[in-house]
mmCIF file of all heavy atoms in Angstrom:
data_model
loop_
_atom_site.group_PDB
_atom_site.id
_atom_site.type_symbol
_atom_site.label_atom_id
_atom_site.label_comp_id
_atom_site.label_asym_id
_atom_site.label_seq_id
_atom_site.Cartn_x
_atom_site.Cartn_y
_atom_site.Cartn_z
ATOM 1 N N THR A 34 -68.104 -43.711 233.132
ATOM 2 C CA THR A 34 -67.168 -44.836 233.083
ATOM 3 C C THR A 34 -67.750 -45.982 232.257
ATOM 4 O O THR A 34 -67.024 -46.647 231.497
ATOM 5 C CB THR A 34 -66.847 -45.320 234.508
ATOM 6 O OG1 THR A 34 -66.326 -44.224 235.276
ATOM 7 C CG2 THR A 34 -65.841 -46.454 234.493
ATOM 8 N N TRP A 44 -61.918 -48.119 220.083
ATOM 9 C CA TRP A 44 -60.730 -47.335 220.448
ATOM 10 C C TRP A 44 -59.475 -48.127 220.086
ATOM 11 O O TRP A 44 -58.555 -47.595 219.440
ATOM 12 C CB TRP A 44 -60.775 -47.036 221.946
ATOM 13 C CG TRP A 44 -59.733 -46.084 222.476
ATOM 14 C CD1 TRP A 44 -58.390 -46.128 222.268
ATOM 15 C CD2 TRP A 44 -59.963 -44.947 223.325
ATOM 16 N NE1 TRP A 44 -57.755 -45.119 222.932
ATOM 17 C CE2 TRP A 44 -58.696 -44.373 223.593
ATOM 18 C CE3 TRP A 44 -61.102 -44.382 223.901
ATOM 19 C CZ2 TRP A 44 -58.541 -43.256 224.416
ATOM 20 C CZ3 TRP A 44 -60.945 -43.274 224.714
ATOM 21 C CH2 TRP A 44 -59.690 -42.707 224.962
ATOM 22 N N LEU A 78 -65.164 -36.357 232.951
ATOM 23 C CA LEU A 78 -64.864 -36.979 231.667
ATOM 24 C C LEU A 78 -65.553 -36.238 230.513
ATOM 25 O O LEU A 78 -66.714 -35.847 230.613
ATOM 26 C CB LEU A 78 -65.336 -38.427 231.701
ATOM 27 C CG LEU A 78 -64.670 -39.457 230.792
ATOM 28 C CD1 LEU A 78 -63.173 -39.534 231.069
ATOM 29 C CD2 LEU A 78 -65.314 -40.815 231.004
ATOM 30 N N SER A 109 -60.452 -26.071 233.057
ATOM 31 C CA SER A 109 -59.519 -26.295 231.952
ATOM 32 C C SER A 109 -59.921 -27.577 231.225
ATOM 33 O O SER A 109 -60.182 -28.609 231.853
ATOM 34 C CB SER A 109 -58.096 -26.419 232.502
ATOM 35 O OG SER A 109 -57.169 -26.669 231.472
ATOM 36 N N GLU A 111 -58.565 -30.461 228.992
ATOM 37 C CA GLU A 111 -57.236 -31.001 228.757
ATOM 38 C C GLU A 111 -57.313 -32.432 228.227
ATOM 39 O O GLU A 111 -58.374 -33.046 228.211
ATOM 40 C CB GLU A 111 -56.438 -30.988 230.072
ATOM 41 C CG GLU A 111 -56.346 -29.609 230.706
ATOM 42 C CD GLU A 111 -55.643 -29.615 232.059
ATOM 43 O OE1 GLU A 111 -55.295 -30.728 232.535
ATOM 44 O OE2 GLU A 111 -55.441 -28.536 232.635
ATOM 45 N N ILE A 134 -62.408 -35.060 210.027
ATOM 46 C CA ILE A 134 -62.689 -35.666 211.329
ATOM 47 C C ILE A 134 -62.170 -34.775 212.458
ATOM 48 O O ILE A 134 -62.865 -34.537 213.452
ATOM 49 C CB ILE A 134 -62.062 -37.076 211.412
ATOM 50 C CG1 ILE A 134 -62.699 -37.991 210.365
ATOM 51 C CG2 ILE A 134 -62.247 -37.667 212.809
ATOM 52 C CD1 ILE A 134 -61.978 -39.323 210.193
ATOM 53 N N LEU A 144 -68.542 -25.943 220.471
ATOM 54 C CA LEU A 144 -69.972 -25.929 220.801
ATOM 55 C C LEU A 144 -70.218 -26.072 222.301
ATOM 56 O O LEU A 144 -71.289 -25.697 222.799
ATOM 57 C CB LEU A 144 -70.694 -27.052 220.048
ATOM 58 C CG LEU A 144 -70.850 -26.871 218.540
ATOM 59 C CD1 LEU A 144 -71.411 -28.143 217.900
ATOM 60 C CD2 LEU A 144 -71.765 -25.682 218.240
ATOM 61 N N LEU A 211 -17.730 -52.488 236.466
ATOM 62 C CA LEU A 211 -18.943 -52.949 237.143
ATOM 63 C C LEU A 211 -19.063 -54.470 237.036
ATOM 64 O O LEU A 211 -19.472 -55.145 237.992
ATOM 65 C CB LEU A 211 -20.169 -52.267 236.533
ATOM 66 C CG LEU A 211 -21.525 -52.542 237.195
ATOM 67 C CD1 LEU A 211 -21.547 -52.039 238.635
ATOM 68 C CD2 LEU A 211 -22.656 -51.890 236.402
ATOM 69 N N LYS A 212 -18.674 -55.000 235.887
ATOM 70 C CA LYS A 212 -18.748 -56.452 235.673
ATOM 71 C C LYS A 212 -17.780 -57.186 236.609
ATOM 72 O O LYS A 212 -18.122 -58.226 237.187
ATOM 73 C CB LYS A 212 -18.408 -56.768 234.209
ATOM 74 C CG LYS A 212 -18.780 -58.181 233.781
ATOM 75 C CD LYS A 212 -20.272 -58.321 233.641
ATOM 76 C CE LYS A 212 -20.669 -59.644 233.068
ATOM 77 N NZ LYS A 212 -22.120 -59.826 232.966
ATOM 78 N N GLU A 237 -32.486 -43.761 246.068
ATOM 79 C CA GLU A 237 -31.725 -42.743 245.329
ATOM 80 C C GLU A 237 -32.120 -41.344 245.780
ATOM 81 O O GLU A 237 -31.266 -40.481 245.984
ATOM 82 C CB GLU A 237 -31.967 -42.897 243.827
ATOM 83 C CG GLU A 237 -31.207 -41.881 242.992
ATOM 84 C CD GLU A 237 -31.599 -41.895 241.528
ATOM 85 O OE1 GLU A 237 -32.370 -42.781 241.112
ATOM 86 O OE2 GLU A 237 -31.140 -40.993 240.796
ATOM 87 N N LEU A 255 -45.664 -41.105 247.558
ATOM 88 C CA LEU A 255 -47.080 -40.789 247.770
ATOM 89 C C LEU A 255 -47.975 -41.986 247.480
ATOM 90 O O LEU A 255 -48.703 -42.014 246.482
ATOM 91 C CB LEU A 255 -47.470 -39.606 246.869
ATOM 92 C CG LEU A 255 -46.589 -38.360 247.008
ATOM 93 C CD1 LEU A 255 -46.885 -37.374 245.889
ATOM 94 C CD2 LEU A 255 -46.795 -37.706 248.362
ATOM 95 N N TYR A 273 -47.888 -53.855 227.921
ATOM 96 C CA TYR A 273 -46.895 -53.096 227.173
ATOM 97 C C TYR A 273 -45.662 -52.726 228.006
ATOM 98 O O TYR A 273 -44.784 -52.022 227.531
ATOM 99 C CB TYR A 273 -47.524 -51.810 226.622
ATOM 100 C CG TYR A 273 -48.656 -52.068 225.657
ATOM 101 C CD1 TYR A 273 -49.977 -51.825 226.020
ATOM 102 C CD2 TYR A 273 -48.409 -52.580 224.390
ATOM 103 C CE1 TYR A 273 -51.028 -52.077 225.141
ATOM 104 C CE2 TYR A 273 -49.450 -52.834 223.504
ATOM 105 C CZ TYR A 273 -50.753 -52.576 223.889
ATOM 106 O OH TYR A 273 -51.785 -52.832 223.014
ATOM 107 N N GLU A 312 -23.017 -46.040 243.077
ATOM 108 C CA GLU A 312 -22.956 -44.760 242.360
ATOM 109 C C GLU A 312 -21.629 -44.541 241.633
ATOM 110 O O GLU A 312 -21.599 -44.104 240.472
ATOM 111 C CB GLU A 312 -23.193 -43.593 243.326
ATOM 112 C CG GLU A 312 -23.175 -42.245 242.628
ATOM 113 C CD GLU A 312 -23.053 -41.078 243.603
ATOM 114 O OE1 GLU A 312 -22.480 -41.274 244.691
ATOM 115 O OE2 GLU A 312 -23.515 -39.975 243.276
ATOM 116 N N SER A 317 -26.167 -46.185 235.880
ATOM 117 C CA SER A 317 -27.235 -45.729 234.980
ATOM 118 C C SER A 317 -26.745 -45.643 233.541
ATOM 119 O O SER A 317 -27.453 -46.015 232.600
ATOM 120 C CB SER A 317 -27.779 -44.379 235.437
ATOM 121 O OG SER A 317 -28.451 -44.512 236.669
ATOM 122 N N VAL A 319 -24.158 -47.333 232.304
ATOM 123 C CA VAL A 319 -23.888 -48.696 231.862
ATOM 124 C C VAL A 319 -25.181 -49.370 231.416
ATOM 125 O O VAL A 319 -25.222 -50.058 230.390
ATOM 126 C CB VAL A 319 -23.214 -49.512 232.985
ATOM 127 C CG1 VAL A 319 -23.073 -50.980 232.567
ATOM 128 C CG2 VAL A 319 -21.841 -48.932 233.324
ATOM 129 N N ILE A 324 -28.994 -51.352 227.174
ATOM 130 C CA ILE A 324 -30.329 -51.277 226.566
ATOM 131 C C ILE A 324 -30.221 -50.966 225.074
ATOM 132 O O ILE A 324 -30.858 -51.621 224.237
ATOM 133 C CB ILE A 324 -31.185 -50.206 227.265
ATOM 134 C CG1 ILE A 324 -31.501 -50.624 228.707
ATOM 135 C CG2 ILE A 324 -32.489 -49.970 226.495
ATOM 136 C CD1 ILE A 324 -32.109 -49.502 229.543
ATOM 137 N N LYS A 336 -38.108 -47.333 217.841
ATOM 138 C CA LYS A 336 -37.715 -45.951 218.115
ATOM 139 C C LYS A 336 -37.666 -45.789 219.627
ATOM 140 O O LYS A 336 -38.638 -46.062 220.326
ATOM 141 C CB LYS A 336 -38.722 -44.970 217.507
ATOM 142 C CG LYS A 336 -38.388 -43.503 217.740
ATOM 143 C CD LYS A 336 -39.426 -42.621 217.065
ATOM 144 C CE LYS A 336 -39.163 -41.143 217.306
ATOM 145 N NZ LYS A 336 -40.186 -40.288 216.658
ATOM 146 N N ARG A 343 -35.504 -31.308 228.190
ATOM 147 C CA ARG A 343 -34.202 -31.006 227.608
ATOM 148 C C ARG A 343 -33.116 -31.243 228.658
ATOM 149 O O ARG A 343 -32.487 -30.326 229.170
ATOM 150 C CB ARG A 343 -34.163 -29.565 227.125
ATOM 151 C CG ARG A 343 -32.890 -29.229 226.338
ATOM 152 C CD ARG A 343 -32.751 -27.754 226.108
ATOM 153 N NE ARG A 343 -33.816 -27.246 225.258
ATOM 154 C CZ ARG A 343 -33.941 -25.966 224.930
ATOM 155 N NH1 ARG A 343 -33.093 -25.079 225.402
ATOM 156 N NH2 ARG A 343 -34.940 -25.576 224.164
ATOM 157 N N ILE A 382 -43.864 -8.421 235.313
ATOM 158 C CA ILE A 382 -43.088 -7.293 234.762
ATOM 159 C C ILE A 382 -42.538 -6.414 235.880
ATOM 160 O O ILE A 382 -41.383 -5.989 235.875
ATOM 161 C CB ILE A 382 -43.954 -6.451 233.800
ATOM 162 C CG1 ILE A 382 -44.317 -7.281 232.560
ATOM 163 C CG2 ILE A 382 -43.231 -5.177 233.382
ATOM 164 C CD1 ILE A 382 -45.343 -6.631 231.669
#
Side-chain angles (χ1 to χ4, degrees):
T34 303
W44 188 310
L78 206 58
S109 179
E111 304 176 356
I134 297 169
L144 289 172
L211 185 63
K212 194 73 173 178
E237 180 189 353
L255 306 169
Y273 298 108
E312 181 195 28
S317 293
V319 174
I324 293 169
K336 180 178 178 181
R343 187 191 295 178
I382 294 170

